[in-house]
Amino acid sequence: MARRLLSTWFPRLASDTVLRRRPAEGPFALVHRSRNTEHLHCLNEIAERNGLHRGMTLADARAICPDLITRPADIAREAAALAALRRWMGRYAPMVARDGSDGLIADITGVPHLFGGEQDLRGDLHARMARAGLSVVSAIAGTRGAAHALARHGGGIIPEGRLVDKIGPLPVSALRTDTETTQALGRMGLTRIADLITQPRAPLARRFGSGLILRLDQALGHQPEPVAAETEAPHFGVRMTLPEPIGLQADVMAGLTRLLDRLCHTLGQHHMGARRLRLDLHRVDREIAQVEIGLARPMRDPERITALFSKGIADVEAGFGIEAMRLEAHVTERLPPEQIGGGQAMRHEDALADLFSRLGNRLGFERVLRLLPAESTIPERSFLLAPAAYSEAAPPPPRTGPERPIIIFPPEPVAIRGMDHPGHPPARFRWRRMQFTTMRATGPERIAPEWWLIDPDWQSGLRDYWRIETREGPRLWLFHTPQSPAWSVQGEFA
C-alpha cells in the first residue's frame, strides 16, 4: 500500500482563535513586539485584502489601514490551540505531528476509504474547520515534503505517480529551505523545484550545502521522513455527569470528594502534585460556574484539598440545578511519593502550607510573604520579602556580632535634651512624643555603607549603632554618624 500523508496549514490560526472568543468587525490583526517595534503577527482575511501582511510594522499598517483593530498576540495560547487541533486530528489518522507553528502532518495511509476517498476526507476536514471558524488549507501527497509544499501553495491532492509534475512548478521556498539559500538560488535563476530536479546534485551540494539536497530528496521520496507523533502530556482532569440536577452545597461537596479521589489517584501514578485546581459546575441552563483554588505547595491529599473548596462552592449560585461537574489540575509540579492520611497528626509543614493556601486564596498568593535572610551588613538589607507559596523557609545565618533588634524600621530622628559628650548616646531624649532616660548603653557597632550599591539613605557615610536601655522600659537601637551630631532610632528590641 502506497504511503499517503495529509498536511494541514492554518494560515490565520492565531487571529481565528482570538476572534472566536471576542469577535471584531473589519480589519483585525494581532501584534507582537520585537526589537522595540510592534509588528503584525497574524491577520484576518479582511486585513489581508487591504494590503497588510505578516511582519509589517504596526506604524506602516496604520498608515495603509487607519481603522485596523489590533490586540496583543499570545504565543502560548496559539501553541495550545495547535495542540488541541493535533488531538482532534486523531479522527483522521493515528499518527499526527506538528508541522511548524501553524501546521499539522498526518499519516493517513489506509484511512481515506473510510471517508469515501481522499477528496471526501478533505471535504469533511474543511467543512468541520469552517463550522469552527478556522481557516485551513490542506494537501495530500505521497511524501511529507510534497504535502507540506502543496498545502502552503494552494492545496490539493497529488495522485500517485505524478509527484514531480505537481510540485515542479512550486517555488524552491516550498522545500522548507532558509531565506538565504532561497535568495541565492533565485540569483542563479533556479526559482522552481523543477529547476533543481534537473541539476546535478554534487555541484548543488558543494555550493548550497547538503541541507538543500536532503529537502529535495525528502520531497521526491528518495529520503525517508517519518511522522513522529509527540508524546501526549498527561491530562489531569476528571468529570462526572449526574443522573439528576443537584443544588445543595452538601451534594456538591460530596461529588467533589469523589472527583478528588480519582484525580489524586491519577496524580499519584505520575508522581505529580496539584498547584492550581479548577472546578467547573455545569448548570441546567447551560451556564458554567467556576471555582478555582491555589495551593501553597504541590499536593494530592483529597481531604486537605476539599476543605479549600468549601468557601467557593458556598458562593455558587446553582440556579435550576447542576447536572455535571468537571475537576482539573491545570498547574502541576513534581511530587515524590509521600504518606498521607492514616489519622496521624498533621505535620507542622503541612499545617503551615494549608494556612498559606487559605490565606493565598483569600488575599492572593503574592500578598502572603515570608522573611528570608540576605547577605548584607546593612540592617534594612539583611532580609528579603518573598511570597511564601513560591519560596522555602531558610534558617537565619549564625550571628557572631552584637545583638540586633527584632523590629527594624526607617530611621526616625530623636530630640536631644541637654548637652552630651559627642559620640556618646544622649542621657535624655524625646522620641515619638515620649521622654526617655538612658539607663545603660552598649556599643558602638560601626556599620559602613556598601559602596557597590547606590543608597541615598546611606550617603552620609558610616554609622555608629548603640543598644540603649531606658528607664521607661523600651530597649532602642540608636545610631549617629561621625560627620553629624544628630541621633536617630532605627529599631526596638523585644
Side-chain angles (χ1 to χ4, degrees):
M1 181 180 296
R3 189 185 185 208
R4 304 296 285 171
L5 293 106
L6 168 66
S7 177
T8 54
W9 178 44
F10 304 94
R12 290 181 285 272
L13 175 62
S15 60
D16 288 345
T17 303
V18 171
L19 291 175
R20 287 182 65 191
R21 294 182 175 89
R22 293 174 55 195
E25 298 293 335
F28 173 83
L30 296 175
V31 297
H32 180 68
R33 191 171 187 82
S34 175
R35 297 180 180 179
N36 295 327
T37 305
E38 290 185 325
H39 299 267
L40 301 189
H41 175 69
C42 192
L43 306 82
N44 67 352
E45 188 176 0
I46 300 176
E48 291 178 351
R49 288 201 300 265
N50 284 334
L52 308 184
H53 59 83
R54 282 195 179 198
M56 175 183 290
T57 64
L58 180 59
D60 293 342
R62 293 278 190 203
I64 297 174
C65 184
D67 57 344
L68 177 67
I69 302 172
T70 62
R71 294 174 192 165
D74 190 338
I75 305 300
R77 177 175 290 181
E78 183 180 352
L82 186 63
L85 287 170
R86 183 179 65 83
R87 293 191 294 269
W88 179 84
M89 282 285 291
R91 67 178 278 109
Y92 299 110
M95 301 290 287
V96 183
R98 289 186 299 175
D99 192 14
S101 61
D102 55 2
L104 298 170
I105 188 74
D107 191 336
I108 60 170
T109 304
V111 174
H113 72 279
L114 301 176
F115 294 85
E118 294 179 348
Q119 191 64 45
D120 291 336
L121 186 150
R122 288 185 67 235
D124 180 78
L125 169 66
H126 285 249
R128 292 178 181 274
M129 290 293 100
R131 288 197 295 270
L134 299 177
S135 304
V136 64
V137 183
S138 67
I140 299 177
T143 67
R144 179 172 179 172
H148 173 95
L150 188 61
R152 283 151 180 79
H153 292 83
I157 299 175
I158 301 180
E160 296 183 28
R162 299 196 57 190
L163 186 63
V164 175
D165 296 339
K166 289 292 185 178
I167 69 171
L170 300 180
V172 293
S173 59
L175 293 176
R176 296 169 289 173
T177 58
D178 58 85
T179 304
E180 183 179 350
T181 301
T182 301
Q183 293 175 350
L185 289 170
R187 288 193 294 267
M188 295 182 61
L190 304 175
T191 58
R192 302 178 306 155
I193 297 178
D195 299 333
L196 295 179
I197 296 176
T198 59
Q199 297 296 319
R201 301 298 178 86
L204 286 177
R206 284 196 301 268
R207 180 159 190 141
F208 302 103
S210 59
L212 174 64
I213 304 303
L214 175 63
R215 288 302 190 190
L216 180 60
D217 288 342
Q218 287 174 340
L220 297 176
H222 303 326
Q223 289 286 344
E225 189 177 7
V227 175
E230 303 172 11
T231 303
E232 193 70 38
H235 176 68
F236 301 109
V238 291
R239 63 176 296 130
M240 174 192 301
T241 302
L242 304 170
E244 292 184 1
I246 61 175
L248 296 178
Q249 180 182 356
D251 295 336
V252 178
M253 293 297 294
L256 172 64
T257 301
R258 296 180 59 182
L259 291 176
L260 272 173
D261 288 338
R262 293 163 49 193
L263 178 63
C264 291
H265 177 71
T266 305
L267 289 168
Q269 290 180 329
H270 292 84
H271 294 178
M272 301 294 288
R275 284 299 298 264
R276 294 200 69 85
L277 298 102
R278 181 171 56 243
L279 176 65
D280 294 336
L281 303 174
H282 297 256
R283 303 191 326 193
V284 175
D285 57 1
R286 303 293 183 181
E287 295 292 329
I288 299 177
Q290 287 189 345
V291 181
E292 184 170 344
I293 66 167
L295 301 173
R297 60 181 291 265
M299 191 187 305
R300 53 172 180 264
D301 189 337
E303 295 182 5
R304 294 165 58 195
I305 297 176
T306 302
L308 299 174
F309 273 102
S310 299
K311 182 180 183 301
I313 291 178
D315 297 336
V316 169
E317 176 59 47
F320 294 103
I322 297 169
E323 60 181 1
M325 304 172 62
R326 184 175 184 274
L327 180 65
E328 179 185 6
H330 56 282
V331 179
T332 58
E333 291 182 9
R334 295 292 301 175
L335 180 63
E338 63 178 2
Q339 182 69 35
I340 61 175
Q344 301 176 354
M346 183 179 294
R347 297 180 301 174
H348 171 73
E349 56 267 26
D350 291 340
L352 192 61
D354 289 352
L355 174 62
F356 290 155
S357 296
R358 290 194 296 271
L359 293 175
N361 284 298
R362 289 175 178 267
L363 307 175
F365 284 93
E366 298 295 335
R367 297 183 178 180
V368 183
L369 308 175
R370 64 155 46 105
L371 295 174
L372 298 177
E375 292 291 338
S376 178
T377 58
I378 305 299
E380 54 267 36
R381 293 186 188 150
S382 59
F383 62 91
L384 298 174
L385 287 174
Y390 309 116
S391 60
E392 295 291 337
R399 285 201 57 83
T400 58
E403 181 186 4
R404 290 291 176 86
I406 192 171
I407 300 175
I408 295 179
F409 41 79
E412 299 178 4
V414 300
I416 300 175
R417 300 191 63 181
M419 299 299 294
D420 292 282
H421 191 277
H424 287 264
R428 292 183 301 275
F429 59 94
R430 183 179 178 85
W431 173 62
R432 292 184 177 178
R433 300 182 180 179
M434 295 181 291
Q435 300 288 343
F436 294 95
T437 302
T438 301
M439 288 183 55
R440 180 181 301 171
T442 306
E445 177 191 0
R446 176 160 289 187
I447 299 179
E450 296 173 338
W451 56 267
W452 56 92
L453 296 176
I454 299 177
D455 189 342
D457 295 334
W458 281 77
Q459 287 182 351
S460 57
L462 301 172
R463 291 181 182 178
D464 287 336
Y465 283 85
W466 293 76
R467 298 187 303 281
I468 305 297
E469 297 182 17
T470 64
R471 187 183 302 275
E472 291 74 15
R475 300 171 62 226
L476 305 176
W477 205 35
L478 274 68
F479 76 86
H480 85 107
T481 60
Q483 298 85 357
S484 173
W487 286 82
S488 300
V489 179
Q490 196 176 357
E492 186 172 357
F493 295 90

